[in-house]
Amino acid sequence: LNTRAKQYVLCQQSLIFKSFSFFSINFFKFGLFRILFRLFIKSNDVVLVQNAQMERYINQYFGDQITVKILDLRSPSFGWPKFFREGRCRLGHHENGIKLIYPAAFVPHKNHHLLSTIKSELEANVLVTVKKNVIAEHSSISCIGQVSREMIFEFYENVDGLLFLSSNESLGMPILEAIKCNLPIVCPYAEYTKELSAENCFFFDLDHPDTLEKALAELRDKLLSGWWPNWNFDNQFSNPRYFPIDVILLD
């Protein structure tokens, strides 16, 4: 805002700092956003972000002119689930197959098109939170439509893991939810996932879509061997630079 008062500004839109083609409408849209951001942020303001990647983006853009703080998202008030998965759930899918969920809006950087690379031999069923009329028909995809945050935890209780295809995130709430629920995660190796444990994550390369299938096959084989992850949510995000929201607001 254009104000003289001290501001605490939550910066959640990571696309502000993405490079777009000059011929893309997003080049002008997010370019204007950056200009306004720089114009209205003052030296005594505090920019709040949700991970180290966004902290780097802000520091690169503003230098040391402003204060950046990373929010600590472990607060019980965040509405986390009360269950902690300790193994597979066999409901509704084949013994040798895997069942995953990809909760994401149907927007370009969420990369739903990568779902078409999943071959039927994997026996992977992916639940996606979009309508059938916006995604191509595919034997491995089940469109469940939009769900509430309460409902998503019901799905987390009955799948073999989280699939997350996004190329750019300021947070990636489903990833935090999967960690809290103790689920395996298949995701790209990107700026927003670099801090995640490679023992519990199955990474793929966004520039080489065939690696997604390899990551899914690796997850399936480990699950069939009896493996299950063991996330420690507190340790995963135990960074002294992370600030509880109530401490920030009392600053």
Side-chain angles (χ1 to χ4, degrees):
L1 299 176
N2 186 10
T3 175
R4 295 181 180 180
K6 182 176 182 178
Q7 300 183 99
Y8 289 81
V9 181
L10 173 64
C11 184
Q12 184 172 337
Q13 179 55 274
S14 59
L15 295 179
I16 299 172
F17 305 102
K18 182 178 179 180
S19 297
F20 290 98
S21 165
F22 179 80
F23 300 100
S24 166
I25 190 172
N26 283 333
F27 177 88
F28 300 97
K29 173 182 174 182
F30 289 109
L32 177 61
F33 206 121
R34 283 194 300 273
I35 291 171
L36 293 174
F37 199 16
R38 184 183 292 277
L39 183 62
F40 293 153
I41 290 290
K42 307 175 300 300
S43 59
N44 66 328
D45 288 341
V46 178
V47 176
L48 309 177
V49 294
Q50 297 163 316
N51 60 27
Q53 171 200 344
M54 289 297 291
E55 180 189 41
R56 287 192 294 272
Y57 284 161
I58 298 293
N59 284 332
Q60 289 168 5
Y61 189 62
F62 287 101
D64 57 0
Q65 303 173 28
I66 60 170
T67 301
V68 184
K69 293 186 176 182
I70 306 177
L71 294 177
D72 188 335
L73 299 170
R74 293 170 293 173
S75 168
S77 63
F78 227 73
W80 298 115
K82 304 209 181 332
F83 64 88
F84 185 81
R85 291 280 301 279
E86 296 183 347
R88 298 188 70 186
C89 177
R90 303 292 183 180
L91 293 178
H93 58 287
H94 193 275
E95 178 76 18
N96 295 326
I98 54 174
K99 188 175 184 179
L100 305 170
I101 186 167
Y102 180 33
F106 192 70
V107 290
H109 70 280
K110 299 294 186 180
N111 295 320
H112 284 84
H113 66 278
L114 292 177
L115 294 169
S116 63
T117 66
I118 301 175
K119 296 180 180 178
S120 58
E121 300 88 84
L122 273 174
E123 296 186 73
N125 177 224
V126 181
L127 307 176
V128 293
T129 54
V130 299
K131 297 179 180 178
K132 290 185 179 180
N133 62 349
V134 297
I135 196 165
E137 290 291 333
H138 192 284
S139 59
S140 298
I141 302 172
S142 299
C143 299
I144 60 176
Q146 185 175 348
V147 298
S148 67
R149 190 149 189 260
E150 292 73 22
M151 291 173 59
I152 200 67
F153 288 121
E154 295 179 14
F155 286 102
Y156 289 148
E157 286 191 277
N158 296 293
V159 295
D160 290 316
L162 172 75
L163 176 62
F164 206 67
L165 306 176
S166 179
S167 57
N168 208 300
E169 293 291 323
S170 65
L171 172 64
M173 177 63 79
I175 288 179
L176 298 189
E177 292 171 342
I179 292 172
K180 193 68 173 178
C181 296
N182 200 41
L183 289 173
I185 298 172
V186 178
C187 62
Y189 187 72
E191 283 292 328
Y192 73 95
T193 63
K194 284 182 178 179
E195 296 182 5
L196 299 180
S197 164
E199 295 181 2
N200 300 319
C201 275
F202 298 81
F203 293 111
F204 68 93
D205 186 347
L206 282 168
D207 294 327
H208 298 88
D210 59 307
T211 58
L212 170 59
E213 186 179 359
K214 293 178 181 178
L216 291 170
E218 183 183 353
L219 169 60
R220 180 198 59 190
D221 293 345
K222 289 194 72 172
L223 290 175
L224 291 177
S225 72
W227 172 87
W228 193 257
N230 186 23
W231 288 103
N232 185 316
F233 189 76
D234 288 337
N235 287 346
Q236 183 67 40
F237 297 97
S238 58
N239 188 314
R241 295 182 299 111
Y242 285 41
F243 293 83
I245 185 65
D246 54 345
V247 172
I248 291 175
L249 295 180
L250 290 172
D251 182 7

